[in-house]
Amino acid sequence: MIAGTPEPVAGTPDPPQAGLWNIANALTLLRIALVPFFVWLFFLDGTGWRLAAFAVFAVASITDKIDGDIARARGLVTDFGKIADPIADKALTGAALISLSVMGELWWWVTAAILVREIGITGMRFVVIRHGVIPASKGGKLKTTLQVFAIGFYILPGPLDYLRWATMAAALIVTVVTGVDYVVQAWRMRRTSGGAS
């Protein structure tokens, strides 16, 4: 034993693990619950309703930042949160993208490209979960941020076309690139786990 290191006391319990029900996971579930409310507001006619939909989308998006910060600061990171958090993000952005395309405000091929990547990566996470959990990377967080801003610009009324196109183009590129990165991570994780067994 290293000198100066206190010896473990017999019978001392291990540090408590974060429980499933905590404030960070509650915020994640709230984000999921806000999705249908956002969609309902989005399809109501009028600038006021569109602004209300934007406000709900913004609040739901902000909870993503808040729940992550709380989870890390208070030691509330759980496997449930690692899986539920990206699902909540995809439910919100997916609903917004589909709504925009239904209204003819966003090309369907952009929505399809993003959703295929998002659903595919989420499904892949579940497939490899017995080998380990793939946490969100910095690139994945940048992707989410770009998607949120791009979608927000599309939801807002007004002459923002060039800003919308530029931000959505950046979001689409990062979405595809990070998707490839996650596939590589999953392949390596499965290969390492398979070699160790």
Side-chain angles (χ1 to χ4, degrees), residues 22-41:
N22 59 61
I23 183 63
N25 288 344
L27 287 172
T28 297
L29 294 175
L30 172 63
R31 188 155 72 257
I32 295 173
L34 286 175
V35 172
F37 186 47
F38 158 75
V39 172
W40 175 68
L41 289 171

Side-chain angles (χ1 to χ4, degrees), residues 106-139:
L106 178 65
W107 301 287
W108 272 108
W109 70 265
V110 173
T111 294
I114 293 176
L115 291 185
V116 166
R117 182 275 192 199
E118 301 290 18
I119 294 171
I121 295 301
T122 300
M124 184 191 69
R125 284 174 183 264
F126 283 109
V127 170
V128 302
I129 196 169
R130 64 190 182 92
H131 301 290
V133 175
I134 304 176
S137 66
K138 290 182 179 179

